[in-house]
Amino acid sequence: MLLEKTFHSGAKPPLGSLIEGRWVQGESTFTVLDKYSATPIAEVASATRAQVAQAVAATHRAAQAGAPAPAERARVLRRAGELIAERRDHFVDVMVAEAGFTVADAAGEVDRAVITLNLSAEEAPRVVGDVVPFAASPGAHQRMGFTLRFPVGVVCAITPFNSPLNTVLHKVAAAYGAGNAVVLKPSAYTPLTSALLAQALLDAGMPPEFLAVVQGEGDSVGTWLLQEQDVAFYTFTGSTRVGRIIQQAAGLRRTQMELGSIASTLVCADANLDRAIPKIANATFRKAGQVCTSVQRLYVEAPLADEVAQRLAEYAATLPAGDPRDPATRIGPLVTREAAMRTEQWLREAQEQGAQLLCGGQRDGSVISPAILTRVPETGRVWCQEAFAPLVAIRPFDDFDAAIASANSTPYGLSAGIFSQDIDRCLSAARRLRFGTIQINETSSARSDVMPFGGVKDSGFGKEGPWHAMREMTEERLVTFNP
């Protein structure tokens, strides 16, 4: 009944777990809230311990029996992209409600999801090995060798709330494209989008035994998945704290982790601000700043510092915050009211410590207006902890080397950006910034779905991007022949 009152654009998402092609109920439910109004929109059945075991066992049997041929897997992934495009309004409707995305952010998520599916389809037939140059060893020039790649088996994907469609597909589509079976545990904040996605994959022809969705909280369902020894590979996007738990439980099994971040972007004195300012604002505030690569630290060379701060504040004033269903809204709610209250507290603390709030920071329920700060102390939480909120701290610099060192000073290393027309300075930054991605004349948050994406240090390891993820999710086997 709650769904009927909320979604009007088409088929309603299933409200249980998907096991062996059937949507099943559990013994308890959890409530999904509309992130703007904080009102219930659905009661979703949590998977039981037995259902988690059943889901893993079923996908393990399927993996052992072998996946459909690569061309068939590619066909399924392409058809899924077509279905998601056809059901665009359904997906947007659900993400606006359960993720709090603005209509524009939700539509962008759908567009990127179609790209990710098509990229995965293109790569599915290309999961091949390499020729070994034995002639490099004296006396071995007559030998021949090559590698083959095989699926690892069951891939467990544990996914976040802040990209409930595209990040899920970077794991699920890549895993299936490489010939694996998949058990998906979506965020309990955003389970409905994953349910719609799973139904689209089934409708596209994905064999039911190759996909399971187990709904529930991380402390229960997530923990049970870590106990299942038939899972061969865990792919996770989320906090560093949870990533450590998964890694410890995985033991010698393989993992791919995209974890915490404090993303930095540098603006040098020769930067083109007409180009940089809109990019920085979008990268800072889209999805209400709830992106792991959102610009949180903005280093600006001193001659431009005042101008950048003023122009960024003026730009932020053009980004209305509020109801995500209003097409004019550019900044929607945070995932919970508690997250918004935490952000409000951090901003207040920063000001008490001497920071200047140039604009924004007002809270209305779970919505925070886009906030820009200067003079933030080194110990301020908005500077030295991951904010995951629509805020940015600006710090002027005179010494380029010191700015690089400061950006490197956090435990994290996911993505960084630099704006400059000095190629030597840009290449110096690329060599010295210890991040998984360095973007020149882009912000830290400028991801294309084809590129390798992943971090270093406490931001994790391994790569997403369909080709790169498929290599992670396959085993390499060497074959040699001595005539």
Side-chain angles (χ1 to χ4, degrees):
M1 182 61 70
L2 295 174
L3 283 173
E4 295 295 335
K5 296 178 180 178
T6 304
F7 307 124
H8 310 289
S9 56
K12 308 304 182 289
L15 299 180
S17 293
L18 175 66
I19 302 174
E20 298 185 90
R22 296 185 303 111
W23 292 98
V24 299
Q25 300 300 302
E27 297 172 353
S28 62
T29 63
F30 61 95
T31 303
V32 182
L33 298 179
D34 181 285
K35 300 306 182 287
Y36 177 67
S37 66
T39 57
I41 55 175
E43 292 290 331
V44 176
S46 295
T48 65
R49 180 67 185 89
Q51 287 171 339
V52 169
Q54 181 186 357
V56 173
T59 51
H60 180 61
R61 288 193 299 270
Q64 287 187 313
E72 172 60 16
R73 302 198 299 267
R75 185 200 65 77
V76 168
L77 294 171
R78 287 193 186 93
R79 179 56 183 152
E82 294 170 356
L83 291 176
I84 287 174
E86 292 171 8
R87 301 170 186 179
R88 177 189 184 90
D89 291 345
H90 307 175
F91 280 94
V92 169
D93 202 15
V94 170
M95 283 188 282
V96 168
E98 72 168 356
F101 290 175
T102 63
V103 172
D105 282 340
E109 185 90 354
V110 173
D111 292 341
R112 288 183 60 187
V114 173
I115 292 170
T116 300
L117 279 161
N118 285 327
L119 288 170
S120 300
E122 289 176 13
E123 296 301 338
R126 300 176 186 168
V127 183
V128 296
D130 304 293
V131 175
V132 180
F134 271 108
S137 299
H141 60 281
Q142 295 292 344
R143 294 185 67 187
M144 292 180 288
F146 55 90
T147 61
L148 300 172
R149 303 199 76 88
F150 297 90
V152 295
V154 177
V155 171
C156 176
I158 302 175
T159 58
F161 71 84
N162 64 326
S163 182
L165 181 59
N166 192 45
T167 289
V168 173
L169 278 169
H170 268 282
K171 302 178 187 302
V172 172
Y176 181 64
N180 297 290
V182 187
V183 178
L184 168 64
K185 196 212 86 65
S187 168
Y189 289 123
T190 54
L192 304 178
T193 305
S194 286
L196 279 183
L197 169 60
Q199 191 60 58
L201 287 166
L202 293 179
D203 293 346
M206 187 170 179
E209 63 273 17
F210 270 80
L211 176 64
V213 180
V214 286
Q215 303 281 20
E217 300 287 347
D219 289 344
S220 55
V221 174
T223 299
W224 297 334
L225 285 167
L226 298 180
Q227 296 167 357
E228 290 295 325
Q229 295 303 304
D230 282 337
V231 173
F233 190 105
Y234 292 94
T235 173
F236 171 69
T237 297
S239 71
T240 298
R241 179 189 67 83
V242 175
R244 287 194 174 100
I245 294 170
I246 294 172
Q247 188 61 43
Q248 184 177 21
L252 293 178
R253 292 175 291 172
R254 291 162 59 186
T255 61
Q256 181 269 325
M257 301 277 175
E258 183 199 323
L259 307 176
S261 171
I262 298 176
S264 295
T265 293
L266 287 73
V267 180
C268 298
D270 62 348
N272 181 339
L273 294 188
D274 290 338
R275 180 179 181 184
I277 293 297
K279 289 178 177 290
I280 293 167
N282 180 64
T284 301
F285 302 125
R286 70 184 180 92
K287 293 186 178 179
Q290 297 173 119
V291 180
C292 51
T293 54
S294 294
V295 181
Q296 184 171 336
R297 291 185 175 189
L298 184 64
Y299 298 89
V300 184
E301 199 157 10
L304 287 185
D306 290 341
E307 182 181 357
V308 167
Q310 178 183 348
R311 290 181 64 170
L312 197 56
E314 290 171 353
Y315 198 101
T318 69
L319 305 176
D323 186 348
R325 291 177 176 83
D326 184 342
T329 298
R330 295 289 301 279
I331 313 295
L334 273 69
V335 67
T336 63
R337 191 156 297 188
E338 290 73 21
M341 294 170 67
R342 170 188 58 79
T343 303
E344 183 181 41
Q345 180 185 359
W346 283 21
L347 292 170
R348 184 168 56 248
E349 284 180 3
Q351 293 176 84
E352 291 170 353
Q353 294 169 349
Q356 180 183 4
L357 181 64
L358 297 184
C359 68
Q362 293 77 37
R363 183 178 69 85
D364 181 8
S366 55
V367 175
I368 296 281
S369 58
I372 300 171
L373 302 105
T374 59
R375 300 203 298 264
V376 174
E378 289 282 347
T379 57
R381 289 198 279 188
V382 295
W383 183 256
C384 61
Q385 296 184 33
E386 184 175 23
F388 230 59
L391 64 85
V392 62
I394 301 175
R395 176 161 295 182
F397 70 88
D398 293 301
D399 185 333
F400 184 69
D401 293 341
I404 295 286
S406 178
N408 283 337
S409 67
T410 80
Y412 305 110
L414 186 56
S415 185
I418 178 171
F419 287 90
S420 174
Q421 298 181 63
D422 184 334
I423 188 63
D424 290 336
R425 180 173 266 194
C426 291
L427 291 177
S428 175
R431 291 188 179 98
R432 295 161 58 200
L433 285 166
R434 195 179 171 206
F435 292 79
T437 302
I438 313 298
Q439 316 235 36
I440 296 173
N441 287 324
E442 286 287 358
T443 69
S444 55
S445 190
R447 183 176 177 182
S448 174
D449 292 292
V450 73
M451 73 189 206
F453 183 75
V456 298
K457 303 194 291 185
D458 283 2
S459 289
F461 46 81
K463 298 294 184 183
E464 287 188 343
W467 183 88
H468 307 276
M470 287 183 188
R471 291 185 71 85
E472 300 261 0
M473 296 174 181
T474 51
E475 297 174 345
E476 188 173 58
R477 191 172 304 166
L478 172 65
V479 180
T480 72
F481 177 63
N482 194 356

